[in-house]
Amino acid sequence: MRNEFSLSYLVPLITILLFAIFFKVVVKIPLIWSVIVTVLGYVAYAFLQTGLAKLLFGSIAVAQGDTSNGYLLQFASGLITILLSVWLYKTGWGFKFDFERLRFKFEDILMVLLIVVFLVFVSVIFYYNDLFVNILFFASVMMFLLYYAIRKEAEEDID
């Protein structure tokens, strides 16, 4: 799809949907939470890669200009993600709440609407490929989803 039909802006959307289905089917968490976890992970990784593209190359266009730049960006992103994941695991940080207990009235409808809006916006943002807008968008979505997940975990700790 990326090369044959010039639909590279749709690849992130398809990737998000496939990972959400994977979490639903394999990890066995509710669909709404599988989409939230997938979007949060995708946004965090996209934020990291966008920041690294700016730091290492100055722009996304330069990072995409040479194949070796893309490899370097992927390597740096992967290395930082692995190191951060190991550190978070060793320090005991993470989400450990019961997904099934976190079902509220109208929450599913609200989250589905937010996720649909996110998926539409992510396609548009990747279509225009503006570095500053990418950073701003991914940072704001990541902060919203982290706030939402942390708030839900804190509510469960109180119960």
Side-chain angles (χ1 to χ4, degrees), residues 54-69:
K54 176 70 174 166
L55 183 69
L56 296 174
F57 306 110
S59 72
I60 290 177
V62 173
Q64 291 176 336
D66 184 16
T67 304
S68 62
N69 289 350

Side-chain angles (χ1 to χ4, degrees), residues 96-109:
K96 51 194 172 280
F97 53 86
D98 179 17
F99 287 109
E100 295 299 325
R101 291 190 51 203
L102 296 177
R103 294 188 189 271
F104 301 105
K105 257 192 209 180
F106 307 111
E107 181 178 279
D108 289 345
I109 295 169

Side-chain angles (χ1 to χ4, degrees), residues 130-141:
D130 183 355
L131 185 65
F132 178 73
V133 174
N134 284 1
I135 291 173
L136 185 65
F137 176 74
F138 288 124
S140 61
V141 170

Side-chain angles (χ1 to χ4, degrees), residues 41-86:
Y42 193 87
V43 165
Y45 199 74
F47 179 67
L48 173 69
Q49 278 203 324
T50 304
L52 281 174
K54 176 70 174 166
L55 183 69
L56 296 174
F57 306 110
S59 72
I60 290 177
V62 173
Q64 291 176 336
D66 184 16
T67 304
S68 62
N69 289 350
Y71 290 140
L72 177 62
L73 182 61
Q74 289 290 62
F75 175 78
S77 301
L79 181 65
I80 290 170
T81 302
I82 290 169
L83 293 174
L84 183 61
S85 299
V86 168

